[in-house]
Amino acid sequence: MLSATGLPVIEATSFVSPKWVPQMADQVEVMKGIGRKPGVSYPVLTPNLKGFQAALKAGASEVAIFGAASELFSKKNINCSVEESLQRFEVIMKAAKEAGVPVRGYVSCVLGCPYEGKVAPEKVAHVAKRLYSMGCYEISLGDTIGVGTPGSMIEMLEAVSKEVPVNALAVHCHDTYGQALANILIALQMGISVVDSSVAGLGGCPYAQGASGNVATEDVVYMLHGLGIQTGVDLSKLMDAGAYICRTLNRKTSSKVAQANCKL
Amino acid sequence: MGNVPTTVKHCLSYEQLIQDYPWLKRWLQEEKTITGHEYPDFVKIVEVGPRDGLQNEKEIVPTGVKIQLIDMLSGTGLPVIEATSFVSSKWVPQMADHSDVLRGIQRAPHVRYPVLTPNMQGFKDAVAAGATEVAVFGSASETFSKKNINCSIDESMLRFEEVINTAKEQQIPVRGYVSCALGCPHEGHIEPSKVSEVAKKLYAMGCYEISLGDTIGVGTPGSMLKMLQSVMEEVPAHALAVHCHDTYGQALPNILTALQMGVCVVDSAVAGLGGCPYAQGSSGNVSTEDVLYMLHGMGIETGVNLAKVIEAGDFICNALRRETNSKVAQATGRTL
């Protein structure tokens, strides 16, 4: 359904061990089962070489790697230090280059960490720079626990844009504290033109029980279209996809636009 | 360095300078863009939860609960708390206890407690109950005006003029509201020029501040910018406030845009009280907690204690047996 909305990139699944993320255990079937729309990219997460090889075998044509700006988060989330993870990623980058597969790099905890608290903008810039110099075509900066505000977003982007050109940056804002759209607006004003979001605001926050996580694609698109910015996305088709997944999951949408529209 | 362009323009012949050094114009413009916008050092929060918030809640709230809510808010540092509305109880039963509420609250020093007064009768009752500040509520949409207060915009202005003149005689300050500033549930798009026309009238009549309301929350930073550009041609920025509804999740970016335009007064409601009567089940007012979180994160002072506002929000949500609309309150209450 998302493939029909005009979205240019849809992150399809994750080639992580099902032991850690059971939800993504059907990664191969999902990859093989989707009807790929021409012109749409379907990147998949590949945390290590094994995942990368499995992804390629399942037909992936773009992958993503996931670093962190916080040492503690890196250790708790992927069981190694930031430096160790970057070395792991170099191996993937090499294989990806040989296979001609583009790689997107993520940096998590860019505006705060659930364990360390405040994260230095310079640390974010350092990790982003490493990923970019390794060959990632784009670096997505993630406010993993949604604690960022326009203040910390500006500070962080100023540091990162000194190391990575702004046209290779994306923002991945969580709406746990309601700040996502304001943070995205600031990022746009700083020259960023790639925004990650999730239909219906799917995905809660594992660090704040019951709180929201990803920003809703519908709400982002509503704001961008209101600003006269093109996205190529059909908002009503997007809302259909959101309605579908919420019905299936038996949960309410986290998108305010979707909530407002279905009740008028 | 952000002031350099202005200084250059005023002290030297800017045109001559640009002629001699064409690269300078680009450098000056670029610098402003890179360093970003200027923000106010202080933002005044006008807490509308007890009035606008509760007015849009289905359950009738007991007077004692309203008073306790206002008393809790009075301890948070909020400088302005809209206490109630002297509107006919026939139209707004939630506000039927207006005199009891106003008389019952413990007024904190340095906090103002404006009340809505739609007409002379309301104004007289408000003053009799001890009101020291009032507010009048106009609209940028003819249809909304007719449906909401049963008269045209011009007729409403005449009504307000009477209230404002009487208030002036008694040295009671009056705040003016313009609803439907970014869209109307009946008319749809609202021309920015209509908003500035109404704002101008209210300001000229003597309102000290004009609060521009995105009544159905349809606005985006795009429409907010255009509307404010128009209104600021008629009313100075320091006399403007924004009253954003979060029905489409746009309130915080809209407020951010307003701050970038020089507005430094923001209306909000504790716990995001008050739904939207035009989109059943949707949210209405933006949450004070979420606004504070953003402003404080930007280094903007408000004088308000966020933790105490969250407490007041918890109290009223318990009393109303409903969940908070504030994401900050949700996240703070549930952090593992």
Side-chain angles (χ1 to χ4, degrees), chain B residues 245-314:
Chain B
H245 278 201
D246 204 38
T247 318
Y248 289 76
Q250 308 296 305
L252 286 189
N254 289 345
I255 289 166
L256 185 62
T257 302
L259 296 177
Q260 290 176 349
M261 302 274 299
V263 173
C264 48
V265 183
V266 174
D267 298 0
S268 59
V270 60
L273 286 178
C276 180
Y278 303 97
Q280 191 74 24
S282 291
S283 63
N285 285 298
V286 67
S287 308
T288 302
E289 298 92 315
D290 299 1
V291 173
L292 288 173
Y293 187 90
M294 180 174 81
L295 296 177
H296 293 175
M298 294 170 69
I300 296 172
E301 305 265 359
T302 62
V304 185
N305 182 321
L306 174 55
K308 288 191 171 156
V309 176
I310 293 176
E311 267 175 46
D314 282 346

Side-chain angles (χ1 to χ4, degrees), chain A residues 147-152 158 175-179 181-182 185-186 189 206-212 219 222-223 226-227 256-257 259-261 263-264, chain B residues 34 37 39 218-222 246-250 252-253 256-257 260 278-283 290 293-294 297-298 327-328 331-332 334-336:
Chain A
V147 288
T149 64
S152 51
E158 273 174 355
D175 204 36
T176 318
Y177 290 76
Q179 309 295 306
L181 287 188
L185 182 62
I186 284 288
Q189 290 176 346
Y207 304 97
Q209 190 77 25
S212 64
D219 299 0
Y222 186 90
M223 180 175 81
L227 275 162
K256 288 213 157 167
V257 169
Q259 279 168 30
N261 270 281
K263 312 276 179 77
L264 270 169
Chain B
I34 287 164
H37 301 264
Y39 295 97
V218 289
T220 64
D246 204 38
T247 318
Y248 289 76
Q250 308 296 305
L252 286 189
L256 185 62
T257 302
Q260 290 176 349
Y278 303 97
Q280 191 74 24
S282 291
S283 63
D290 299 1
Y293 187 90
M294 180 174 81
M298 294 170 69
K327 289 214 158 169
V328 169
T332 322
R334 320 261 183 101
T335 313
L336 292 166

Side-chain angles (χ1 to χ4, degrees), chain A:
Chain A
M1 284 182 84
L2 291 171
S3 293
T5 61
L7 283 161
V9 184
I10 302 166
E11 203 173 64
T13 186
S14 176
F15 282 79
V16 69
S17 160
K19 191 173 65 178
W20 298 118
V21 186
Q23 181 77 274
M24 300 285 124
D26 57 359
Q27 57 209 204
V28 176
E29 288 153 79
V30 169
M31 213 53 212
K32 290 197 168 131
I34 55 176
R36 295 202 211 195
K37 184 149 193 268
V40 180
S41 226
Y42 298 89
V44 298
L45 244 66
T46 54
N48 48 40
L49 190 62
K50 185 161 174 240
F52 176 78
Q53 284 158 349
L56 233 57
K57 197 159 167 232
S61 39
E62 182 174 327
V63 301
I65 55 183
F66 222 99
S70 150
E71 284 296 346
L72 269 174
F73 190 84
S74 188
K75 289 210 177 79
K76 289 202 186 237
N77 211 40
I78 54 174
N79 225 11
C80 63
S81 72
V82 170
E83 186 54 46
E84 283 165 345
S85 71
L86 291 171
Q87 283 163 18
R88 232 183 252 182
F89 298 149
E90 300 246 17
V91 177
I92 300 174
M93 291 310 303
K94 194 157 173 275
K97 263 185 208 144
E98 282 166 17
V101 170
V103 183
R104 188 187 210 225
Y106 280 92
V107 183
S108 60
C109 296
V110 301
L111 298 178
C113 168
Y115 311 107
E116 286 185 11
K118 196 158 161 24
V119 173
E122 294 69 37
K123 182 80 186 188
V124 183
H126 168 78
V127 179
K129 182 182 184 176
R130 286 285 298 272
L131 290 170
Y132 187 66
S133 1
M134 267 191 239
C136 291
Y137 75 90
E138 193 170 87
I139 312 298
S140 172
L141 305 163
D143 181 11
T144 306
I145 47 169
V147 288
T149 64
S152 51
M153 175 63 88
I154 289 175
E155 235 189 354
M156 185 274 295
L157 286 178
E158 273 174 355
V160 176
S161 55
K162 288 192 181 121
E163 309 290 352
V164 181
V166 101
N167 61 2
L169 293 175
V171 287
H172 183 113
C173 298
H174 277 201
D175 204 36
T176 318
Y177 290 76
Q179 309 295 306
L181 287 188
N183 290 345
I184 290 167
L185 182 62
I186 284 288
L188 295 174
Q189 290 176 346
M190 305 241 343
I192 305 269
S193 52
V194 182
V195 176
D196 298 1
S197 60
S198 172
V199 64
L202 286 179
C205 181
Y207 304 97
Q209 190 77 25
S212 64
N214 284 300
V215 68
T217 306
E218 298 92 317
D219 299 0
V220 174
V221 169
Y222 186 90
M223 180 175 81
L224 296 175
H225 289 183
L227 275 162
I229 296 172
Q230 308 264 10
T231 62
V233 179
D234 182 326
L235 181 53
S236 63
K237 286 193 176 152
L238 188 59
M239 287 199 282
D240 287 344
Y244 163 75
I245 192 64
C246 288
R247 262 196 321 269
T248 312
L249 288 171
N250 200 21
R251 61 159 272 177
K252 280 205 181 120
T253 180
S254 288
S255 155
K256 288 213 157 167
V257 169
Q259 279 168 30
N261 270 281
C262 69
K263 312 276 179 77
L264 270 169

